[in-house]
Amino acid sequence: MAKRIAVVTDSNSGITQAMAKELGVYVLPMPFVIDGETYFEDISLSQAAFYEKLHGDADISTSQPAAGDVLALWDEVLETHDALVHIPMSSGLSGSCATALALAQDYDGRVEVVNNQRISVTLRQAVMDALALAGAGKSAAEIRAILEEVKFESSIYIMLDTLKYLKKGGRITPAAAAIATVLKIKPVLQIQGEKLDAFAKARGEKQAQTVMLDAMRKDMDRRFGGPEQLRLFVAHTHNEEAAHNEEAARAFSAVIRGELGLDVTYCDPLSLSVSCHIGPGALAIACSKKIDRFL
């Protein structure tokens, strides 16, 4: 009889609690400390409420799920499953992966923690890949090994609308932020697994989108073996007019379809852990390579 394998992730995947129920996966809500009070993403902290506090210059810091909360969820899941695959956000962006790896040592192989260097839409795809692998009869250990083998077969490029939050976090100087604002420079950042890094500077939104499309086109051809090997995603952070940014994300998806010849698989809000560092109004293109060869 095939073993029942569960898939667990955290809310950095962009998978809401409602979506998790539909998919049959489990999502740990990420905690945020806002003006000294702890909130949990998609439980006591909505996207709208988060951005309202961000706009109000609240003191916001990210945290990781408490060990007790992780263990409680695992124990609950293992009552109805033989094993579970836990896919947290990238170890380069949070200590939650290291914590989970340490906790899993007491579970005699029933908990496999995947360090696959993903976040946001690429982490969501890793969850979908894990479900497909479980459906194909792979064990929890095999799923972990495959997801770690393909961990760098993904890419994210993010265009920022404001430099305020990079300045606030000490990532750029106030003088550099002021000059860039006057010149209408749109920084493009990248996430290639380990961390959030600078990638390019563009003059205006249109040029920034061109920079991101060119970068993704190069990744397609040089890193991933052509567009047929990939899934593409769009992600965004809300601005004061949330509907406007969702509309911009959908418009960008249409541009991507025309320029790169691929439909966008997901068009999601970026996870709040990324949003608090880059601020509202950001737009991103991302990809991950299909895992068909393992199925």
Side-chain angles (χ1 to χ4, degrees):
M1 182 176 173
K3 287 193 172 183
R4 294 196 66 203
I5 308 295
V7 178
V8 178
T9 188
D10 59 48
S11 57
N12 285 296
S13 62
I15 298 174
T16 65
Q17 297 295 326
M19 288 163 59
K21 287 179 181 175
E22 288 180 18
L23 292 169
V25 301
Y26 302 85
V27 175
L28 271 166
M30 294 300 290
F32 290 80
V33 179
I34 303 177
D35 290 336
E37 188 173 343
T38 301
Y39 297 83
F40 294 90
E41 186 169 6
D42 197 37
I43 301 292
S44 55
L45 182 66
S46 67
Q47 287 261 335
F50 171 84
Y51 284 104
E52 185 179 329
K53 291 179 183 298
L54 196 67
H55 282 296
D57 284 330
D59 182 20
I60 302 177
S61 60
T62 56
S63 187
Q64 58 175 288
D69 292 340
V70 177
L71 295 174
L73 179 58
W74 286 357
D75 290 344
E76 178 189 336
V77 171
L78 290 173
E79 287 178 8
T80 53
H81 294 79
D82 298 298
L84 67 85
V85 177
H86 181 82
I87 316 173
M89 70 183 286
S90 171
S91 61
L93 296 166
S94 168
S96 56
C97 183
T99 298
L101 283 165
L103 295 173
Q105 292 178 13
D106 292 332
Y107 280 80
D108 298 322
R110 294 186 71 196
V111 173
E112 295 285 349
V113 177
V114 181
N115 182 13
N116 85 325
Q117 311 287 11
R118 303 282 180 97
I119 192 167
S120 188
V121 281
T122 58
L123 178 56
R124 177 178 172 179
Q125 186 56 49
V127 170
M128 301 307 295
D129 290 343
L131 287 172
L133 291 165
K138 303 292 185 186
S139 68
E142 287 172 326
I143 294 169
R144 177 193 54 76
I146 290 168
L147 293 183
E148 290 185 351
E149 182 178 334
V150 304
K151 65 184 178 181
F152 292 124
E153 294 180 355
S154 70
S155 208
I156 302 178
Y157 298 97
I158 310 170
M159 173 191 76
L160 269 58
D161 186 54
T162 175
L163 290 159
K164 174 181 177 179
Y165 299 93
L166 287 183
K167 181 180 74 173
K168 192 174 180 180
R171 289 174 180 262
I172 60 170
T173 65
I179 292 168
T181 301
V182 170
L183 296 177
K184 296 184 178 178
I185 289 173
K186 298 286 186 184
V188 176
L189 309 182
Q190 62 178 333
I191 300 176
Q192 305 291 350
E194 294 274 338
K195 55 187 176 179
L196 187 67
D197 278 323
F199 178 71
K201 294 175 185 175
R203 292 292 291 272
E205 186 172 323
K206 189 171 182 181
Q207 189 183 38
Q209 288 192 15
T210 299
V211 166
M212 293 194 294
L213 287 166
D214 288 345
M216 188 58 67
R217 190 178 287 109
K218 286 177 184 174
D219 281 352
M220 278 182 171
D221 296 338
R222 298 177 187 178
R223 291 177 59 193
F224 301 128
E228 67 281 353
Q229 301 292 326
L230 290 182
R231 288 186 174 86
L232 287 182
F233 321 108
V234 166
H236 59 91
T237 60
H238 286 220
N239 57 14
E240 290 176 350
E241 300 175 61
H244 169 73
N245 221 46
E246 289 170 10
E247 185 181 306
R250 287 194 295 271
F252 188 39
S253 298
V255 171
I256 289 168
R257 192 178 304 114
E259 291 285 331
L260 302 181
L262 282 180
D263 286 326
V264 169
T265 303
Y266 313 128
C267 184
D268 285 352
L270 269 164
S271 68
L272 298 185
S273 291
V274 175
S275 304
C276 70
H277 295 297
I278 63 175
L283 192 61
I285 183 172
C287 73
S288 71
K289 190 172 180 179
K290 295 176 182 176
I291 60 158
D292 297 359
R293 63 194 185 276
F294 298 104
L295 297 172

